[in-house]
Amino acid sequence: MPSTMSSLNHHRRWAALALSLSLLAPWGAQAQNPSTPSNTPKVRISTSMGDIEAELYADKAPKTVANFLQYVNDKHYEGTIFHRVIAGFMVQGGGFDAQYKEKKTRAPVPHEGRQALAGGLKNTTGTLAMARTNDPQSATAQFFINVVDNAFLDPTPIPDGDPVAKFQYQGRVYENVARAQLLNAPQLFGYTVFGKVTSGMDVVQKIRNTPTGAGGPFPTDVPRTPVVIQSITLLK
Protein backbone atom coordinates (compact mmCIF):
# COMPACT_ATOMS: atom_id res chain seq x y z
CA MET A 1 0.00 0.00 0.00
CA PRO A 2 1.99 2.46 -0.45
CA SER A 3 3.77 5.68 -0.37
CA THR A 4 4.16 6.94 -3.90
CA MET A 5 3.38 10.14 -5.82
CA SER A 6 2.30 10.54 -9.42
CA SER A 7 1.19 13.26 -11.82
CA LEU A 8 -0.58 13.45 -15.14
CA ASN A 9 2.31 15.11 -16.98
CA HIS A 10 0.26 15.16 -20.18
CA HIS A 11 -0.14 18.94 -20.32
CA ARG A 12 0.82 21.94 -18.20
CA ARG A 13 -2.77 22.62 -17.24
CA TRP A 14 -2.87 19.24 -15.51
CA ALA A 15 -0.09 20.03 -13.07
CA ALA A 16 -2.75 20.84 -10.46
CA LEU A 17 -3.96 17.26 -10.61
CA ALA A 18 -0.90 15.83 -8.85
CA LEU A 19 -1.90 14.10 -5.63
CA SER A 20 0.07 15.10 -2.57
CA LEU A 21 -0.75 12.01 -0.59
CA SER A 22 0.65 8.62 0.28
CA LEU A 23 -0.78 6.04 -2.09
CA LEU A 24 -1.40 2.40 -1.40
CA ALA A 25 1.60 0.90 -3.09
CA PRO A 26 2.76 -2.60 -2.34
CA TRP A 27 5.88 -1.49 -0.55
CA GLY A 28 7.49 -3.34 1.24
CA ALA A 29 -17.61 1.14 4.48
CA GLN A 30 -18.72 -1.02 3.92
CA ALA A 31 -19.64 -1.45 0.31
CA GLN A 32 -22.50 0.82 -0.60
CA ASN A 33 -25.48 -1.48 -0.58
CA PRO A 34 -23.77 -4.20 -2.63
CA SER A 35 -25.91 -7.08 -3.72
CA THR A 36 -24.91 -10.41 -2.27
CA PRO A 37 -25.65 -13.18 -4.77
CA SER A 38 -25.74 -16.73 -3.49
CA ASN A 39 -22.48 -17.50 -5.29
CA THR A 40 -20.54 -14.70 -3.56
CA PRO A 41 -17.30 -16.34 -2.42
CA LYS A 42 -16.52 -16.13 1.27
CA VAL A 43 -13.09 -16.48 2.82
CA ARG A 44 -11.59 -16.80 6.28
CA ILE A 45 -8.39 -14.88 6.95
CA SER A 46 -6.78 -16.61 9.94
CA THR A 47 -4.22 -14.38 11.64
CA SER A 48 -2.09 -14.50 14.75
CA MET A 49 -4.59 -12.05 16.28
CA GLY A 50 -7.72 -13.98 15.35
CA ASP A 51 -9.97 -14.76 12.40
CA ILE A 52 -11.53 -12.38 9.89
CA GLU A 53 -14.22 -13.45 7.46
CA ALA A 54 -15.07 -11.59 4.28
CA GLU A 55 -17.30 -11.90 1.25
CA LEU A 56 -15.92 -11.19 -2.20
CA TYR A 57 -17.90 -9.49 -4.96
CA ALA A 58 -17.12 -11.53 -8.04
CA ASP A 59 -20.04 -9.96 -9.88
CA LYS A 60 -18.53 -6.46 -9.53
CA ALA A 61 -14.79 -7.13 -9.77
CA PRO A 62 -14.56 -10.58 -11.40
CA LYS A 63 -10.90 -10.53 -12.48
CA THR A 64 -9.80 -9.12 -9.14
CA VAL A 65 -11.67 -11.74 -7.16
CA ALA A 66 -10.44 -14.55 -9.42
CA ASN A 67 -6.88 -13.28 -8.98
CA PHE A 68 -7.22 -13.15 -5.19
CA LEU A 69 -8.75 -16.63 -5.02
CA GLN A 70 -5.96 -18.06 -7.16
CA TYR A 71 -3.46 -16.78 -4.60
CA VAL A 72 -5.65 -18.34 -1.91
CA ASN A 73 -5.68 -21.67 -3.75
CA ASP A 74 -1.92 -21.47 -4.22
CA LYS A 75 -1.51 -20.91 -0.45
CA HIS A 76 0.44 -17.79 -1.26
CA TYR A 77 -0.79 -15.96 1.83
CA GLU A 78 0.30 -18.55 4.38
CA GLY A 79 3.01 -17.04 6.54
CA THR A 80 2.71 -13.54 5.12
CA ILE A 81 2.31 -10.54 7.40
CA PHE A 82 0.42 -7.29 7.71
CA HIS A 83 3.51 -5.21 7.02
CA ARG A 84 1.89 -1.79 6.90
CA VAL A 85 -0.56 -0.66 9.57
CA ILE A 86 -1.81 2.92 9.87
CA ALA A 87 -4.48 3.31 12.54
CA GLY A 88 -6.30 6.17 10.85
CA PHE A 89 -6.16 4.66 7.38
CA MET A 90 -5.83 0.92 6.65
CA VAL A 91 -4.01 -2.33 7.34
CA GLN A 92 -2.10 -3.92 4.44
CA GLY A 93 -0.60 -7.34 3.94
CA GLY A 94 -0.17 -10.39 1.77
CA GLY A 95 3.18 -9.65 0.17
CA PHE A 96 5.99 -10.31 2.66
CA ASP A 97 6.88 -13.13 5.02
CA ALA A 98 7.88 -12.63 8.65
CA GLN A 99 11.50 -12.06 7.58
CA TYR A 100 10.30 -9.25 5.27
CA LYS A 101 11.12 -11.24 2.18
CA GLU A 102 8.77 -10.37 -0.65
CA LYS A 103 6.96 -13.37 -2.09
CA LYS A 104 6.94 -14.05 -5.80
CA THR A 105 3.72 -13.09 -7.58
CA ARG A 106 2.03 -13.67 -10.90
CA ALA A 107 1.43 -11.01 -13.52
CA PRO A 108 -0.66 -8.01 -12.38
CA VAL A 109 -4.43 -8.14 -12.53
CA PRO A 110 -6.24 -5.57 -14.72
CA HIS A 111 -7.59 -2.61 -12.77
CA GLU A 112 -11.35 -2.90 -12.17
CA GLY A 113 -11.86 0.08 -9.90
CA ARG A 114 -14.36 1.99 -12.01
CA GLN A 115 -16.35 -1.16 -12.72
CA ALA A 116 -16.51 -1.95 -9.00
CA LEU A 117 -17.47 1.64 -8.20
CA ALA A 118 -20.30 1.47 -10.73
CA GLY A 119 -21.46 -1.62 -8.83
CA GLY A 120 -21.61 0.36 -5.58
CA LEU A 121 -18.26 -0.59 -4.03
CA LYS A 122 -16.35 2.20 -2.29
CA ASN A 123 -13.33 2.38 -0.01
CA THR A 124 -15.37 2.52 3.16
CA THR A 125 -14.75 1.00 6.57
CA GLY A 126 -14.36 -2.77 6.45
CA THR A 127 -13.89 -3.13 2.71
CA LEU A 128 -11.03 -5.01 1.07
CA ALA A 129 -9.16 -3.42 -1.81
CA MET A 130 -6.10 -4.18 -3.89
CA ALA A 131 -2.79 -2.47 -3.11
CA ARG A 132 -0.63 -1.28 -5.99
CA THR A 133 2.15 1.11 -6.95
CA ASN A 134 1.58 4.40 -8.75
CA ASP A 135 0.97 2.27 -11.85
CA PRO A 136 -2.79 1.52 -11.77
CA GLN A 137 -2.18 -1.80 -13.55
CA SER A 138 0.32 -3.16 -11.00
CA ALA A 139 -1.85 -4.93 -8.39
CA THR A 140 -0.82 -8.54 -7.71
CA ALA A 141 -1.31 -10.21 -4.31
CA GLN A 142 -1.19 -7.46 -1.70
CA PHE A 143 -4.48 -6.18 -0.33
CA PHE A 144 -5.63 -3.83 2.37
CA ILE A 145 -8.60 -3.45 4.67
CA ASN A 146 -9.95 0.06 5.11
CA VAL A 147 -10.32 0.89 8.81
CA VAL A 148 -11.98 4.26 8.13
CA ASP A 149 -13.89 5.68 5.18
CA ASN A 150 -11.25 6.54 2.57
CA ALA A 151 -13.25 8.27 -0.16
CA PHE A 152 -10.08 9.76 -1.65
CA LEU A 153 -9.06 6.23 -2.70
CA ASP A 154 -12.19 5.77 -4.82
CA PRO A 155 -11.89 5.91 -8.60
CA THR A 156 -12.96 9.19 -10.20
CA PRO A 157 -15.92 8.75 -12.59
CA ILE A 158 -15.34 10.24 -16.04
CA PRO A 159 -18.29 12.17 -17.52
CA ASP A 160 -19.68 11.24 -20.92
CA GLY A 161 -18.45 12.81 -24.09
CA ASP A 162 -15.26 13.16 -26.12
CA PRO A 163 -13.98 15.65 -25.52
CA VAL A 164 -15.43 15.84 -22.02
CA ALA A 165 -17.16 19.21 -21.93
CA LYS A 166 -16.55 19.86 -18.25
CA PHE A 167 -14.55 17.96 -15.66
CA GLN A 168 -14.13 19.00 -12.03
CA TYR A 169 -11.29 17.71 -9.89
CA GLN A 170 -9.97 18.91 -6.54
CA GLY A 171 -11.96 22.11 -6.75
CA ARG A 172 -10.89 23.04 -10.27
CA VAL A 173 -12.90 22.87 -13.47
CA TYR A 174 -11.39 21.75 -16.78
CA GLU A 175 -13.19 22.10 -20.10
CA ASN A 176 -13.05 20.21 -23.38
CA VAL A 177 -10.63 17.55 -22.24
CA ALA A 178 -9.86 14.52 -24.41
CA ARG A 179 -11.63 11.54 -22.87
CA ALA A 180 -8.60 9.27 -23.25
CA GLN A 181 -6.52 11.74 -21.26
CA LEU A 182 -8.90 11.40 -18.31
CA LEU A 183 -9.36 7.66 -18.62
CA ASN A 184 -5.58 7.13 -18.55
CA ALA A 185 -4.70 9.66 -15.86
CA PRO A 186 -3.05 7.66 -13.02
CA GLN A 187 -4.52 9.86 -10.27
CA LEU A 188 -8.07 9.11 -11.37
CA PHE A 189 -7.98 5.31 -11.22
CA GLY A 190 -8.30 4.94 -7.46
CA TYR A 191 -8.16 1.51 -5.84
CA THR A 192 -10.27 -1.54 -6.66
CA VAL A 193 -12.60 -2.63 -3.87
CA PHE A 194 -13.45 -6.32 -4.15
CA GLY A 195 -14.80 -7.48 -0.78
CA LYS A 196 -16.07 -6.63 2.68
CA VAL A 197 -15.42 -7.95 6.17
CA THR A 198 -18.50 -9.78 7.45
CA SER A 199 -17.12 -10.86 10.83
CA GLY A 200 -13.95 -10.26 12.76
CA MET A 201 -13.85 -6.47 12.62
CA ASP A 202 -12.76 -6.70 16.25
CA VAL A 203 -9.64 -8.49 14.97
CA VAL A 204 -9.13 -5.80 12.34
CA GLN A 205 -9.34 -3.23 15.14
CA LYS A 206 -6.69 -5.10 17.13
CA ILE A 207 -4.40 -5.09 14.10
CA ARG A 208 -5.17 -1.43 13.50
CA ASN A 209 -4.18 -0.48 17.04
CA THR A 210 -1.05 -2.60 17.35
CA PRO A 211 2.13 -0.57 18.08
CA THR A 212 4.22 0.06 14.98
CA GLY A 213 7.68 1.28 14.05
CA ALA A 214 10.50 0.39 11.70
CA GLY A 215 10.88 -3.19 10.50
CA GLY A 216 12.98 -4.87 7.85
CA PRO A 217 13.39 -2.47 4.91
CA PHE A 218 10.46 -0.32 6.02
CA PRO A 219 11.09 2.84 8.06
CA THR A 220 7.62 3.13 9.60
CA ASP A 221 4.20 1.53 10.12
CA VAL A 222 5.40 -2.04 10.69
CA PRO A 223 3.80 -3.88 13.66
CA ARG A 224 6.41 -4.31 16.39
CA THR A 225 4.98 -7.77 17.04
CA PRO A 226 4.43 -9.43 13.65
CA VAL A 227 0.80 -9.93 12.67
CA VAL A 228 0.96 -13.14 10.66
CA ILE A 229 -1.58 -14.37 8.15
CA GLN A 230 -1.58 -18.06 8.97
CA SER A 231 -3.91 -18.94 6.11
CA ILE A 232 -6.71 -17.69 3.90
CA THR A 233 -9.28 -20.35 3.09
CA LEU A 234 -12.31 -20.41 0.83
CA LEU A 235 -15.46 -21.09 2.81
CA LYS A 236 -17.98 -21.05 -0.02
Side-chain angles (χ1 to χ4, degrees):
M1 244 177 116
S3 277
T4 55
M5 304 269 301
S6 59
S7 61
L8 291 178
N9 292 324
H10 292 300
H11 194 282
R12 285 184 61 190
R13 66 180 176 176
W14 292 103
L17 294 185
L19 286 180
S20 297
L21 50 81
S22 176
L23 294 179
L24 297 169
W27 70 274
Q30 266 156 312
Q32 190 179 59
N33 299 320
S35 62
T36 307
S38 59
N39 65 345
T40 300
K42 293 178 173 59
V43 294
R44 177 179 295 123
I45 305 170
S46 297
T47 80
S48 54
M49 284 191 166
D51 290 352
I52 303 163
E53 292 188 3
E55 57 188 13
L56 310 179
Y57 301 117
D59 57 329
K60 297 174 175 62
K63 294 177 181 177
T64 304
V65 170
N67 173 73
F68 183 81
L69 290 178
Q70 185 62 59
Y71 281 110
V72 169
N73 291 337
D74 292 343
K75 302 187 184 303
H76 168 92
Y77 294 112
E78 293 185 6
T80 60
I81 58 172
F82 282 95
H83 65 278
R84 191 169 185 226
V85 171
I86 302 176
F89 186 20
M90 55 79 228
V91 300
Q92 176 181 344
F96 295 85
D97 65 21
Q99 286 71 48
Y100 305 106
K101 180 180 178 181
E102 188 168 12
K103 298 192 71 171
K104 186 177 180 179
T105 60
R106 301 189 309 275
V109 62
H111 195 283
E112 295 182 302
R114 291 192 178 111
Q115 177 179 336
L117 181 67
L121 302 182
K122 296 185 177 183
N123 283 277
T124 49
T125 305
T127 53
L128 280 68
M130 293 304 297
R132 60 172 177 81
T133 67
N134 60 333
D135 176 0
Q137 307 296 342
S138 63
T140 53
Q142 289 188 44
F143 65 95
F144 60 96
I145 303 174
N146 289 291
V147 298
V148 297
D149 292 348
N150 288 314
F152 72 98
L153 296 181
D154 290 337
T156 300
I158 307 303
D160 293 335
D162 190 8
V164 174
K166 183 177 291 187
F167 178 72
Q168 185 168 342
Y169 184 73
Q170 293 188 338
R172 298 191 61 174
V173 176
Y174 304 88
E175 297 181 347
N176 299 318
V177 185
R179 185 173 187 80
Q181 186 173 354
L182 296 176
L183 288 174
N184 295 320
Q187 292 91 333
L188 305 183
F189 275 83
Y191 293 80
T192 303
V193 174
F194 66 97
K196 181 183 70 174
V197 173
T198 55
S199 68
M201 273 304 292
D202 58 325
V203 176
V204 176
Q205 295 295 347
K206 290 178 185 177
I207 298 171
R208 169 189 185 178
N209 292 317
T210 191
T212 61
F218 309 123
T220 60
D221 306 321
V222 179
R224 294 189 182 280
T225 300
V227 180
V228 180
I229 298 174
Q230 298 161 337
S231 65
I232 301 182
T233 53
L234 181 64
L235 300 178
K236 176 183 176 184

